[in-house]
Amino acid sequence: MEFQLQATDALSNARAGLITTDHGRIETPVFMPVGTVGSVKAVHQHELRDDVNAQIILGNTYHLYLRPGTEILRQAGGLHKFIGWERPILTDSGGFQVFSLSSNRKLKEEGAYFRSHIDGSKHLFTPENVVDIERIIGADIMMALDECPPGTAEYDYAKKSLGLTMRWLQRGWKRYKETEGLYGYRQAYFPIVQGCTYPDLRRQAAREVAELGADGNAIGGLAVGEPAEVMYDMIDIVNEILPADRPRYLMGVGTPANILEAIERGVDMMDCVMPTRNGRNGMLFTRHGVMNMRNKKWADDFSPLQEDGPSYVDRAYSKAYVRHLFASQEILGMQIASIHNLAFYLWLTREARAHILAGDFKQWKAEMLKCVTRKL
C-alpha cells in the first residue's frame, strides 16, 4: 500500500491524499461504508460501486469468523470474490465487538475469550490468530487486535487497558511481518491508538504506534460515550504525533458534523454504521439538513427526495412516497434511505477533498456545518 499526500489546507490540518492498493486507488479524505458480514445492509454491490461510488468498504472480522467462517472464505478465495467486490476492503480486528459484548467476554494476557452471540460457543481471539483470520479474509487493510475501553473509563483502567493493547500490538505486528497474504496481493496492517480520554495515554500510544512505521495508523476508542469536544481534543493530540506521510483512520465516527471536524483535524479515513442504521429508521442526512421521514409533514410533499442529491434515488422518489414506505414498514423505504445516506456521506467527503485542493476548505466547512446540523 502506498500513500501520497497531495495537499494540506493552509488554515487547518485538513489533508487530501491518495492511497494505492492492489485492488484500486482511494482518494482521501474518504468515508467507508460498513459491510459487517460481507454486506452493506440493504445495498447491492453495484449500487455501492456505481451510485454511492464507495471506493472502499469494511468487513468485520468477528462476524465473518463466526459466519460464514474461515473455511468457506478460504475456499471462495477471500472476501472480495465471495461477495463480488473488486475494490479495496478493510477489516477491523473484532476488538470493538469484544468491547460491545463485554457481558460475554474475558480479557487475559493471551487474548480475548468470548462467547458467540449466535450459539454461545466459546472462542479465543489472540493478536496472532486475528492476523491469520484477516489473512484468510483477504482484506487490503487489516487492523490490529486491541481493547476498546468505554469513553468514561477511569484512568487506572484506561492505563491498564492501553498496556494490554500495546503488548498485543507487538505480538500482532510480529505475526504480520512473518506471514504473507494468501491470494497474490499485499495486505497492509494498521495499529490502533487507544488511551481513552487521557492526553498522556494518547500521546504514549501514538508515539509507540508511530515507531512501528506501519503503512497507516488508526485512532480507536472514540465516540464511545465521551463528549464530542473531548473526542476532537483527542484527535488533535494524536495527529500531532502520528506521521504525516501515512493515512490516519478514525474508527467508528460518525455524524456528518463529526466527519467535518475530523477532516479539519487531519483525519483521512472514517467509517460508521450511522448512515445505514439511521436510514433504516427513517433519518435522512442531506446537504440542507436532517429529515425524519416518519414525520407527517412529508405525507403530501411530492417534491423529489433531494433534487440536488448525489444518488438516483434522490430524484426517482418523492418525499411523500418514501414517507409512505416507512409508515407502511416497507423494506424498500429502508433501501432507499440507506442508499441516499451513503451517497450523501461519500459526496460530503468528496466535496471536502475538492475544497482542500481548491484552498478554501475552512470557509466551506463552516458553512456546511451549519447546513448538516439543521433539522428540516
Side-chain angles (χ1 to χ4, degrees), residues 1 20-24 26 56-57 80 85-91 134 137-142 176 185-190 215:
M1 195 194 85
T20 303
T21 76
D22 288 345
H23 280 102
I26 305 160
I56 176 174
I57 62 174
H80 289 87
W85 177 255
E86 65 277 10
R87 293 182 180 179
I89 295 175
L90 181 151
T91 44
E134 291 186 275
I137 294 171
D140 299 88
I141 300 173
M142 314 187 299
Y176 168 72
Y185 54 87
R186 186 173 181 274
Q187 296 175 274
Y189 183 81
F190 283 20
D215 289 314

Side-chain angles (χ1 to χ4, degrees), residues 194-270:
Q194 289 288 353
C196 201
T197 59
Y198 301 103
D200 62 321
L201 298 182
R202 286 285 176 178
R203 290 190 182 97
Q204 173 193 337
R207 285 192 291 266
E208 291 187 39
V209 161
E211 287 175 0
L212 286 182
D215 289 314
N217 302 295
I219 307 170
L222 295 175
V224 287
E226 79 286 353
E229 288 304 321
V230 174
M231 173 174 71
Y232 302 147
D233 289 344
M234 295 303 106
I235 295 170
D236 282 329
I237 287 169
V238 170
N239 279 349
E240 287 177 0
I241 299 170
L242 291 181
D245 63 347
R246 309 294 165 94
R248 301 162 178 162
Y249 165 31
L250 178 62
M251 306 180 73
V253 178
T255 66
N258 293 156
I259 287 171
L260 292 173
E261 296 288 357
I263 291 172
E264 183 176 17
R265 288 163 171 79
V267 168
D268 306 297
M269 307 163 70
M270 292 141 285

Side-chain angles (χ1 to χ4, degrees), residues 51 275 278-295 297-326 331-344 376:
D51 187 47
N278 287 33
R280 294 195 303 274
N281 288 288
M283 179 181 287
L284 268 61
F285 301 99
T286 79
R287 63 186 299 174
H288 308 292
V290 182
M291 297 190 295
N292 182 347
M293 300 314 297
R294 299 183 186 277
N295 287 350
K297 66 182 291 184
W298 309 117
D300 59 354
D301 187 335
F302 302 106
S303 64
L305 198 57
Q306 185 189 338
E307 194 164 9
D308 59 353
S311 170
Y312 81 96
V313 301
D314 296 325
R315 289 164 295 282
Y317 305 108
S318 70
K319 296 181 182 72
Y321 178 57
V322 174
R323 194 264 175 185
H324 157 71
L325 292 174
F326 276 101
I331 293 173
L332 180 58
M334 300 180 189
Q335 292 177 298
I336 292 170
S338 297
I339 293 168
H340 162 86
N341 279 349
L342 288 172
F344 168 72
L376 300 177

